[in-house]
Amino acid sequence: MGHDDHELADRFDSITTHDALIRWSRAYCSDAIETYGFDVALFPVEWEVSTRAKRRAAAVKTPQIDGASVGEPIAWETKSEPVDCVGDYPACTVSLSWRAFESFDRDEWEATLRHELVHIEQFQAYGTTDHGPAFKRRANSVDAPVRVRRFTTPKYVLLCDDCGDTVAHRYRDCKLVRNPDSYRSACCSAPLSSSKVPNEEN
Ligand SMILES: [Zn+2]
Ligand SMILES: [Zn+2]
């Protein structure tokens, strides 16, 4: 685990694309399933990145299953209603917020993913998921928050010096904000400049 853990840490800091965020998050979840003993199958799980989510860091999108309730195991293979299944598992989608990723450090992002894994675990077992007492117990046992922190608008914006496009947002002072001219934009390979987001955008 030591070596992989180190690699994941390095790669987290260099994520710049939606695909990279999904790859990283899926790899972390795969590790966490082993480490924390989640009863979760990842292969039926789809991933997406949302740039519109303004407050929710992540969410698991599931179909509505009539009569499902947390604590009552569901037999997917004998389900008569049409549920989109992959093998014996129902499909669901983890939606990750790009702005939350920009706002959270690695520890908080990992804790958020464990929170979502608890939702997937409940959904795959029971056909539904919530934030009730069972969720709370499970979240505590895997060191995940019961409620994921809501995040706000970023403090800093990084702009491409050539074309003026927005390259990134940051929620706190960091290397990128302090030394933007030592980075290069993907659009123009130009230096960046950082500025505070004006109040009206907050
Ligand atoms: Zn939740
Ligand atoms: Zn540019």
Side-chain angles (χ1 to χ4, degrees):
M1 157 121 195
H3 179 251
D4 284 354
D5 191 55
H6 203 74
E7 245 176 45
L8 277 179
D10 287 349
R11 286 179 3 229
F12 185 78
D13 290 332
S14 55
I15 293 169
T16 57
T17 66
H18 292 189
D19 280 351
L21 179 60
I22 288 171
R23 275 198 304 275
W24 192 95
S25 300
R26 196 198 286 126
Y28 174 75
C29 285
S30 179
D31 283 359
I33 286 169
E34 296 291 319
T35 309
Y36 293 88
F38 283 103
D39 189 8
V40 163
L42 273 189
F43 67 88
V45 177
E46 303 273 342
W47 298 77
E48 65 181 29
V49 173
S50 165
T51 51
R52 285 167 302 147
K54 290 223 161 44
R55 298 173 68 77
R56 299 181 71 178
V60 179
K61 299 179 179 173
T62 66
Q64 192 78 34
I65 312 291
D66 284 347
S69 91
V70 171
E72 281 179 39
I74 194 164
W76 292 103
E77 63 277 12
T78 62
K79 207 80 187 121
S80 53
E81 305 148 41
V83 176
D84 190 11
C85 275
V86 184
D88 287 343
Y89 290 91
C92 66
T93 301
V94 179
S95 180
L96 306 171
S97 158
W98 183 255
R99 300 179 87 185
F101 157 68
E102 291 181 319
S103 156
F104 288 8
D105 64 16
R106 181 183 166 223
D107 284 348
E108 197 169 20
W109 189 252
E110 290 180 349
T112 300
L113 292 173
R114 293 197 297 278
H115 175 107
E116 304 310 329
L117 280 171
V118 177
H119 281 309
I120 297 170
E121 189 174 56
Q122 285 196 330
F123 173 65
Q124 290 183 347
Y126 308 127
T128 188
T129 178
D130 58 22
H131 293 109
F135 185 95
K136 288 196 178 92
R137 280 194 302 276
R138 190 63 175 133
N140 286 336
S141 78
V142 298
D143 197 20
V146 174
R147 295 283 177 186
V148 172
R149 177 169 71 89
R150 297 204 162 224
F151 60 97
T152 52
T153 44
K155 270 208 186 93
Y156 302 94
V157 61
L158 282 302
L159 304 173
C160 169
D161 266 357
D162 261 21
C163 68
D165 272 3
T166 299
V167 172
H169 292 94
R170 286 294 179 270
Y171 291 74
R172 53 182 190 279
D173 199 15
C174 65
K175 274 188 298 190
L176 191 56
V177 169
R178 286 192 298 272
N179 304 309
D181 54 359
S182 60
Y183 294 81
R184 290 292 174 273
S185 65
C187 46
C188 306
S189 298
L192 309 180
S193 56
S194 77
S195 61
K196 280 210 149 183
V197 174
N199 271 337
E200 55 266 46
E201 281 186 48
N202 272 306

